[in-house]
């Protein structure tokens, strides 16, 4: 290996150190980005779902209040048993049916394990929720995440308690209004007991798939970080090459020529930095060497 090429490889290692440092910073930024993005996205998705859930719960509550405070006191004394205007649960169910047509991804369910309508029998997680409400602390209701019919939901559930008024329709098939018996039969949905928890009302908002949301954001961030680092790298390569490596290579070349006696070219730099100082030090050394060389040659001439 020639002297020149060995020195080029050595000066190359200055830039390698820069690039290695930059690469480590790049990796660290990505490693920090992964958990940060995950937690921020999770937090955002849940708080958004939570907000929607509260809204939905209040809408259902309002519909129930309309029946309790307005339509039931009006129609019941007249002997009108039309369920949606007499039962707040049926009104909430009607609301759910209409709402589902407009917003199929949302969930409003009124379930009971002794239902008039078989479609209202709790399924999967709903059964578990009903049990939790029955044997837990039902007054608080509960908020949880879970899967219903294959979709992930943030769910708010409240217990449905039987009061005396419910027994008009849910008491017994013998006393229930004829339309109800005609429509739902006599097997199920009756013999409810006042004060017991007969069912649950559930409101669910869809939870967007956390992993795919995280992945999407992560890809965006990775691309951004990579582009930024690539730009920094390109600028750095240029600056290191122009400001450090090239001048050092020049000084090395001249110093080599001077030391071999092939040239007496002065070292010159206008720069006001370390490279400038280095160049000027070399120049001082070159002059000292020249003076010393002249003295030596004079001495040797004198000796002749
Ligand atoms: C005027 C009759 C009537 C009254 C009073 C009534 N309901 Fe109902 N209820 C119905 C009908 C009809 C259905 C079935 C609706 C359907 O097709 O989904 C129903 C359904 C339900 C369901 C869903 C499970 C099922 O049986 O299909 C629950 C829970 C429920 N009612 C709770 C109550 C509660 C609690 C009360 C008292 C506060 C009450 N209901 C009062 C008529 C009534």
């Amino acid at each position: 290996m020639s002297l020149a090429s060995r020195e080029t490889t050595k000066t190359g290692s200055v830039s390698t150190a820069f690039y290695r440092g930059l690469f480590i910073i790049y990796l660290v930024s990505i490693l920090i980005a992964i958990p940060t993005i995950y937690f921020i996205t999770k937090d955002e998705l849940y708080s958004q779902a939570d907000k929607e859930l509260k809204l939905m719960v209040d809408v259902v509550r309002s519909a129930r209040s309309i029946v309790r405070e307005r339509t039931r006191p009006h129609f019941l004394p007249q002997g009108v048993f039309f369920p949606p205007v007499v039962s707040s649960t049926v009104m909430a169910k009607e609301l759910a049916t209409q709402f589902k047509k407009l917003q199929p991804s949302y969930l409003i369910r009124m379930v009971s394990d002794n239902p008039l309508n078989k479609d209202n029998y709790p399924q999967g997680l709903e059964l578990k929720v009903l049990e939790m409400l029955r044997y837990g602390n039902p007054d608080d209701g509960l908020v949880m995440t879970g899967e219903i019919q294959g979709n992930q939901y943030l769910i708010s559930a409240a217990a449905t308690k039987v009061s005396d008024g419910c027994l008009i329709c849910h008491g017994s098939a013998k006393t229930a209004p004829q339309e109800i018996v005609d429509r739902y039969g006599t097997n199920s949905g009756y013999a409810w007991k006042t004060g017991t928890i007969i069912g649950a009302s559930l409101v669910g908002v869809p939870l967007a798939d956390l992993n795919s949301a995280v992945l999407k954001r992560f890809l965006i961030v990775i691309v951004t970080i990579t582009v930024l680092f690539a730009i920094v790298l390109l600028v750095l390569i240029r600056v290191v090459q122009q400001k450090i490596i090239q001048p050092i290579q020049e000084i090395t070349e001249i110093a080599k020529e001077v030391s071999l006696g092939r040239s007496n070219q002065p070292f010159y730099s206008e720069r006001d930095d370390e490279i400038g100082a280095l160049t000027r030090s070399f120049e001082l050394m070159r002059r000292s060497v020249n003076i010393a060389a002249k003295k030596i040659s004079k001495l040797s001439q004198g000796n002749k």
Side-chain angles (χ1 to χ4, degrees):
M1 196 189 270
S2 76
L3 196 66
S5 74
R6 199 157 72 221
E7 252 139 39
T8 318
T9 342
K10 267 188 190 162
T11 49
S13 69
V14 172
S15 46
T16 312
F18 271 109
Y19 308 146
R20 196 176 294 148
L22 198 68
F23 185 66
I24 289 170
I25 298 172
Y26 172 73
L27 282 187
V28 169
S29 338
I30 287 180
L31 282 181
I32 293 173
I34 298 172
T36 313
I37 292 170
Y38 182 83
F39 286 117
I40 289 179
T41 310
K42 190 173 172 178
D43 194 61
E44 219 172 80
L45 287 186
Y46 275 76
S47 65
Q48 189 191 333
D50 197 50
K51 229 176 180 171
E52 286 182 1
L53 189 65
K54 286 193 176 115
L55 252 162
M56 299 253 302
V57 168
D58 283 347
V59 169
V60 174
R61 245 186 224 154
S62 309
R64 283 174 176 272
S65 310
I66 292 172
V67 174
R68 266 198 306 268
E69 291 161 23
R70 311 267 300 146
T71 60
R72 185 191 296 157
H74 180 78
F75 288 110
L76 207 55
Q78 298 175 17
V80 177
F81 296 118
F82 181 56
V85 297
V86 180
S87 159
S88 66
T89 306
V90 177
M91 173 52 97
K93 241 228 79 181
E94 297 270 325
L95 176 87
T97 311
Q98 297 302 324
F99 193 75
K100 188 94 191 157
K101 287 182 198 157
L102 302 172
Q103 299 286 344
S105 55
Y106 289 78
L107 181 96
I108 304 177
R109 290 268 289 161
M110 312 298 144
V111 297
S112 168
D113 47 5
N114 179 9
L116 280 176
N117 186 339
K118 294 271 184 293
D119 291 344
N120 299 334
Y121 195 87
Q123 290 163 12
L125 185 73
E126 293 173 338
L127 212 64
K128 221 173 96 192
V129 167
L130 181 56
E131 234 159 67
M132 284 162 81
L133 288 168
R134 253 182 203 148
Y135 305 111
N137 194 356
D139 288 340
D140 298 346
L142 53 93
V143 174
M144 60 190 291
T145 56
E147 198 183 289
I148 292 180
Q149 288 155 5
N151 299 315
Q152 277 299 119
Y153 290 102
L154 180 66
I155 298 158
S156 167
T160 305
K161 258 193 187 155
V162 181
S163 60
D164 288 337
C166 314
L167 304 181
I168 301 170
C169 300
H170 293 284
S172 123
K174 287 194 191 88
T175 53
Q178 194 55 44
E179 314 90 83
I180 292 201
V181 179
D182 290 347
R183 185 153 174 207
Y184 301 101
T186 54
N187 290 335
S188 171
Y190 308 103
W192 290 12
K193 298 269 176 297
T194 302
T196 57
I197 291 175
I198 194 66
S201 107
L202 291 98
V203 173
V205 298
L207 268 182
D209 184 7
L210 180 65
N211 288 338
S212 69
V214 168
L215 196 72
K216 211 162 111 192
R217 288 180 177 197
F218 184 59
L219 284 179
I220 295 171
V221 171
I222 282 237
V223 168
T224 314
I225 291 182
T226 308
V227 168
L228 275 177
F229 271 82
I231 293 171
V232 170
L233 187 71
L234 285 179
V235 170
L236 205 68
I237 287 176
R238 240 183 108 83
V239 170
V240 168
Q241 188 66 32
Q242 272 185 357
K243 297 272 178 192
I244 303 174
I245 295 176
Q246 239 173 34
I248 290 181
Q249 276 172 342
E250 275 168 28
I251 296 171
T252 311
E253 261 329 289
I254 298 173
K256 214 161 54 189
E257 294 296 300
V258 170
S259 72
L260 291 174
R262 279 193 269 189
S263 137
N264 202 8
Q265 184 191 342
F267 295 87
Y268 177 72
S269 169
E270 276 180 354
R271 284 170 58 169
D272 203 14
D273 55 10
E274 290 86 346
I275 297 285
L278 178 72
T279 316
R280 283 186 287 279
S281 307
F282 264 85
E283 176 59 12
L284 287 178
M285 194 177 71
R286 186 188 66 87
R287 287 181 193 171
S288 310
V289 169
N290 274 350
I291 292 166
K294 271 182 198 148
K295 272 187 188 158
I296 290 169
S297 77
K298 249 188 212 160
L299 274 177
S300 64
Q301 269 168 10
N303 283 347
K304 269 184 191 164

